[in-house]
Amino acid sequence: MAVRKELMVMARRSNSKNVKNSSATKKSISSQQGNKKSSKKKTTAKVHYGRLAVVILIPIALILGMIYGAISIYQAVIQHQRVAKIEEKANRIGEAQSEIAAASTTPNISPSTFAAYQELAKTQLGAFQNQVRSMIHEKLSDSDMEAVNSLSAPEDLYLNILKNLERYPEEYISFLNEDPRRLNFVSAFVNQEPYIAAPGALTMSLESLPALVQYDLQWAYQPFSGNVIGLVGSGPTALSAAASHLQNNSGITPYLAAQAIDSAGGAYSQGVAEPQVLVSAGPSIGLSIEPIQVDSSLIASICEQQQIILGLVPSGNLSAKPQYILISYSDQPDCVNVYFPAFPADSKAYSVEEITPLLSEAYVLNNAYTIEQ
């Protein structure tokens, strides 16, 4: 009996354990199934977000790639243009340096003149035209600009000088440095043969004293006293203007006056004909030339009588060379009209007291006889 009870107790205990084990097993199975579902959900979410990321990121990556490629191409183009400009500038620098080196070896150009024109040569690298025009404008008054603007492409004329600098005597370069209005004349030095062949003709009005310019290309390169009228011809130009006015004869050109002076002896000092030679040459062009005292009262009195005075200005007062000028009547009180054949832009009315101290000699010009046209 006792044995039976013990067996029944053991059986109950065994059933209880089985129930517990069965329940644990069910819970384990249920837990495993829950984990599988959770894992499946997570996997599905990952796939969804992964696809979404691919759809969004790929176009963005493509766009960024296109932008980067465009920037790279633009930078390459800009770099190519920069290199091309640098190469062009280098070539022009090389050309300019070659011209500068060639010009520096010529014996006709002084170091100071070469240094000044070296700057002009460098402007070939850039704004040559603007720099040349600016240089000219700085030296001219507003009233002079019309004459300068009438020049054709002055920067080309300067370039012509620079390219032929080794052919220029120092005298021509100094002549241009004194006054940029002489650019046409100096630039024409390399092609002066056509000008030497033609004596030119006086064509302006003779109602008043003709405004003749010694470096006018009509006669500038005509020979005179071992040089040319353009450089040393203030004397014949002044005599020509006076004779043409007094005789109303447009045929008395600076060229004709220069021939008369050369025939009379042609002696000249410091770049101009000697006064006594001009006195001797006067009758050849119908002029009577008589010396007078350099006195302001006398000069004013003679001009009031509508007579013309030839004055000699020594070197240093106007330029490095002596210059002949013409003095005539002015309707402005205590003034006379002064004409400068070598510096026409400076021609105007001056007070008698202002102009007289500049003179070393003075001569009255009168009509001796009329030359037939």
Side-chain angles (χ1 to χ4, degrees):
M1 190 74 170
V3 173
R4 186 178 179 183
K5 287 182 179 179
E6 186 176 350
L7 289 173
M8 290 178 66
V9 170
M10 291 175 65
R12 288 175 184 167
R13 288 178 179 172
S14 177
N15 288 334
S16 177
K17 285 182 180 179
N18 289 336
V19 171
K20 288 180 179 179
N21 289 338
S22 176
S23 177
T25 301
K26 288 180 180 180
K27 287 182 179 179
S28 176
I29 293 172
S30 177
S31 176
Q32 289 177 0
Q33 290 177 349
N35 289 338
K36 287 181 180 180
K37 290 180 180 180
S38 175
S39 177
K40 187 175 182 180
K41 287 181 179 180
K42 288 181 179 179
T43 302
T44 303
K46 287 181 181 179
V47 171
H48 176 73
Y49 288 122
R51 290 176 179 174
L52 184 62
V54 169
V55 171
I56 294 175
L57 292 177
I58 288 179
I60 292 176
L62 291 174
I63 292 172
L64 291 176
M66 293 174 64
I67 293 173
Y68 177 80
I71 292 174
S72 299
I73 293 172
Y74 174 78
Q75 289 177 338
V77 171
I78 294 298
Q79 183 66 16
H80 177 74
Q81 291 176 345
R82 287 175 179 171
V83 171
K85 287 181 180 179
I86 291 172
E87 290 177 348
E88 180 184 3
K89 186 175 182 180
N91 291 335
R92 299 178 73 184
I93 289 175
E95 293 173 2
Q97 287 176 339
S98 298
E99 291 185 10
I100 290 170
S104 65
T105 61
T106 175
N108 293 330
I109 304 299
S110 68
S112 59
T113 297
F114 173 74
Y117 274 80
Q118 186 176 18
E119 284 303 311
L120 280 179
K122 288 179 180 178
T123 60
Q124 294 178 69
L125 308 180
F128 183 85
Q129 177 175 349
N130 292 336
Q131 290 194 25
V132 170
R133 289 190 185 279
S134 175
M135 184 188 71
I136 293 175
H137 290 193
E138 287 175 1
K139 294 185 178 181
L140 300 185
S141 64
D142 292 340
S143 60
D144 298 324
M145 282 311 303
E146 183 177 352
V148 173
N149 289 334
S150 66
L151 296 176
S152 59
E155 63 278 1
D156 293 336
L157 299 181
Y158 270 103
L159 189 58
N160 184 47
I161 294 172
L162 291 169
K163 288 184 175 180
N164 296 281
L165 201 55
E166 71 280 358
R167 298 175 58 183
Y168 277 88
E170 171 70 18
E171 188 176 23
Y172 281 81
I173 302 303
S174 298
F175 193 67
L176 175 59
N177 286 341
E178 278 190 338
D179 192 338
R181 303 170 191 83
R182 298 164 174 173
L183 178 59
N184 263 335
F185 163 68
V186 176
S187 180
F189 175 82
V190 293
N191 295 312
Q192 61 180 278
E193 291 299 329
Y195 302 112
I196 291 177
L202 195 163
T203 58
M204 60 271 299
S205 170
L206 298 176
E207 294 179 359
S208 60
L209 199 63
L212 303 186
V213 180
Q214 71 182 57
Y215 50 84
D216 188 320
L217 287 177
Q218 292 184 91
W219 44 72
Y221 281 103
Q222 296 297 328
F224 172 60
S225 294
N227 208 311
V228 294
I229 295 174
L231 283 180
V232 298
S234 62
T237 306
L239 292 186
S240 169
S244 298
H245 172 67
L246 291 171
Q247 299 183 39
N248 194 34
N249 184 349
S250 61
I252 307 175
T253 65
Y255 173 66
L256 183 63
Q259 287 184 312
I261 294 171
D262 277 340
S263 298
Y268 70 101
S269 174
Q270 300 183 49
V272 296
E274 294 284 4
Q276 61 267 26
V277 179
L278 267 64
V279 171
S280 300
S284 298
I285 54 175
L287 284 179
S288 168
I289 305 177
E290 299 178 5
I292 61 170
Q293 184 180 358
V294 178
D295 176 80
S296 57
S297 299
L298 179 59
I299 289 175
S301 175
I302 292 174
C303 289
E304 287 176 0
Q305 299 172 36
Q306 304 293 319
Q307 291 180 292
I308 301 172
I309 295 174
L310 175 71
L312 177 61
V313 180
S315 59
N317 287 344
L318 292 177
S319 69
K321 295 179 181 178
Q323 300 291 331
Y324 284 101
I325 64 174
L326 292 178
I327 305 171
S328 60
Y329 171 77
S330 172
D331 56 6
Q332 297 185 34
D334 301 319
C335 289
V336 290
N337 286 329
V338 181
Y339 184 73
F340 301 91
F343 297 90
D346 294 330
S347 302
K348 60 180 181 180
Y350 291 84
S351 71
V352 180
E353 299 296 334
E354 182 181 6
I355 202 66
T356 303
L358 298 180
L359 304 176
S360 61
E361 298 186 46
Y363 299 82
V364 176
L365 305 180
N366 289 302
N367 186 24
Y369 63 92
T370 299
I371 297 177
E372 295 183 2
Q373 296 189 31

